[in-house]
């Protein structure tokens, strides 16, 4: 009845299936669907031949074509799900933070633990010794006014002792001179002013912190260094109290074979004043290159609080007396650990720092 070529439905189906299954991505699958099931596909061509068939034949072949298309569509849907899952996991894989790398590194080398810097360790140990002796720990600002760093410490603008401190000035003159503190002694003034204002005299305090001087770094000097200030203000405080406190601190901190020695000196804010030396920690007093054969190393300064300083803070020197001291924490660390060159403390070479 018809001249149309008989349809080979099996061949039609296997071609469509092969085209769909060849897709390796969702994008390729979309193209394969167009090719296998779209308007220009063999399948669509087969539909168009139906009109030439007689009615019963048209129904039979029509139904078979319809079922074939449905099978191909559900095959495509299943393939799409598979490909989508594959693409999603590939994207996740590419995006993943590979934490296992840290573990791999740790298996090869032991975990390296950080630790506190030797200067921080020294500061903490210093604080512990003074706290055990009944001192409170205080702090003050690193940028100070001329009043706190110099003037209240009995160094008016023209005072020659200002030359002892090569200062970094942040602001000069009006409205105020601001200087990076050259020592921790300004904290003395702040402690006394605060105690007077609050009516909390006496004072037994230490104040550790950073100081700054326009020095060139060498084996025993750093332009940024650390000091600890001590201040005691009470009734009937004597030079003996100062010497005893210094000696007690020295043996507690450096060990029983290290002692202190006070040499007459000058500071504008103490009277009398002294230089504070300790037994050389390298030769224990026998004499060596580090101590220039003296058996002693200089650590800082001290003295009895000058009446002019008391008066600048509103304290009556007839009623109160006191002592103060200030010494280098970096130098304590240097002597405690026998570090030949202080600059090693700020070079941040881990091979050096890891030793402490
Ligand atoms: N501030 C002095 C200095 O840095 C040390 C010192 C402190 C001296 C307290 C006496 C009393 O040189």
């Amino acid at each position: 009845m018809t001249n149309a070529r008989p349809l080979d439905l099996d061949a039609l189906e296997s071609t469509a299936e092969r085209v769909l299954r060849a897709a390796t991505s969702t994008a390729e699958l979309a193209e394969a669907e167009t090719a296998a099931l779209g308007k220009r596909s063999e399948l669509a061509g087969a539909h168009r031949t139906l009109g030439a068939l007689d009615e019963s034949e048209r129904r039979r072949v029509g139904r078979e074509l319809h079922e074939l298309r449905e099978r191909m569509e559900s095959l495509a849907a299943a393939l799409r799900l598979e490909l989508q899952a594959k693409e999603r996991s590939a994207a996740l894989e590419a995006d993943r933070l590979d934490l296992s790398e840290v573990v791999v590194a740790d298996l090869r080398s032991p975990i390296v633990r950080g630790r506190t810097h030797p200067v921080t360790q020294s500061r903490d140990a210093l604080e512990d010794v003074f706290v055990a002796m009944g001192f409170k720990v205080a702090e003050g600002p690193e940028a100070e006014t001329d009043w706190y760093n110099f003037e209240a410490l009995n160094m008016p603008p023209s005072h020659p002792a200002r030359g002892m401190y090569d200062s970094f000035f942040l602001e000069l003159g009006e409205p105020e001179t601001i200087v990076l503190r050259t020592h921790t002694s300004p904290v003395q003034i702040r402690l006394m002013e605060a105690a007077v204002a609050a009516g909390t005299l006496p004072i037994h305090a230490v104040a550790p912190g950073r100081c700054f001087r326009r020095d060139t770094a060498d084996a025993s000097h750093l332009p940024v260094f650390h000091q600890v200030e001590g201040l005691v203000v009470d009734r009937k405080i004597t030079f003996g109290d100062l010497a005893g406190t210094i000696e007690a601190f020295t043996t507690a901190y450096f060990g029983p074979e290290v002692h202190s020695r006070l040499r007459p000196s000058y500071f504008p804010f103490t009277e009398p004043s002294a230089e504070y030396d300790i037994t050389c920690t390298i030769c224990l007093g026998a004499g060596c290159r580090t101590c220039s054969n003296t058996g002693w190393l200089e650590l800082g300064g001290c003295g009895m609080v000058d009446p002019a300083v008391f008066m600048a803070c509103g304290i009556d020197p007839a009623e109160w007396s006191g002592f103060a001291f200030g010494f280098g924490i970096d130098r304590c660390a240097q002597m405690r650990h026998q570090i030949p060159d202080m600059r090693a403390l700020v070079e941040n070479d881990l091979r050096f720092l890891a030793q402490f």
Side-chain angles (χ1 to χ4, degrees), residues 121-316:
Q121 288 178 27
S122 292
R123 195 188 97 162
D124 291 346
L126 279 164
E127 284 182 14
D128 288 347
V129 172
F130 282 114
V131 166
M133 288 164 77
F135 285 75
K136 289 218 158 61
V137 180
E139 272 185 359
E142 293 177 346
E144 277 290 15
T145 61
D146 190 82
W147 166 260
Y148 286 105
N149 196 77
F150 293 120
E151 192 141 5
L153 288 165
N154 203 23
M155 280 181 277
S158 61
H159 200 287
R162 286 189 177 215
M164 287 162 57
Y165 305 106
D166 287 313
S167 316
F168 287 112
F169 288 99
L170 299 183
E171 257 159 63
L172 273 177
E174 297 304 309
E176 236 176 346
T177 292
I178 308 288
V179 64
L180 288 178
R181 68 177 175 193
T182 56
H183 49 180
T184 42
S185 296
V187 187
Q188 285 186 37
I189 306 302
R190 293 185 174 274
L191 284 166
M192 288 189 269
E193 282 182 350
V196 167
T200 53
L201 284 172
I203 298 168
H204 305 85
V206 287
R210 276 206 296 187
C211 304
F212 310 81
R213 285 187 204 172
R214 222 146 40 74
D215 267 343
T216 313
D218 63 27
S220 50
H221 294 89
L222 298 171
V224 179
F225 58 102
H226 300 78
Q227 279 192 340
V228 61
E229 193 79 9
L231 176 70
V232 168
V233 178
D234 208 336
R235 293 186 170 91
K236 299 193 169 69
I237 294 293
T238 68
F239 198 91
D241 295 319
L242 167 60
T245 302
I246 293 267
E247 175 64 13
F249 159 74
T250 305
T251 49
Y253 182 78
F254 290 101
E257 67 282 15
V258 178
H259 296 281
S260 62
R261 172 178 86 164
L262 302 183
R263 272 183 299 120
S265 185
Y266 172 78
F267 296 100
F269 33 95
T270 47
E271 183 59 34
S273 301
E275 218 79 56
Y276 160 35
D277 298 341
I278 63 163
T279 310
C280 176
T281 54
I282 310 279
C283 62
L284 289 180
C288 68
R289 227 175 39 192
T290 304
C291 61
S292 314
N293 277 311
T294 62
W296 297 95
L297 294 168
E298 190 186 315
L299 204 57
C302 61
M304 303 306 290
V305 178
D306 194 288
V309 175
F310 274 144
M311 284 184 310
C313 300
I315 292 176
D316 179 2

Side-chain angles (χ1 to χ4, degrees), residues 98-121:
D98 189 1
L99 298 173
S100 69
E101 265 183 14
V102 175
V103 176
V104 170
D106 280 350
L107 290 176
R108 275 188 256 118
S109 56
I111 294 167
V112 181
R113 256 216 249 170
R115 64 196 80 196
T116 50
H117 191 277
V119 172
T120 307
Q121 288 178 27

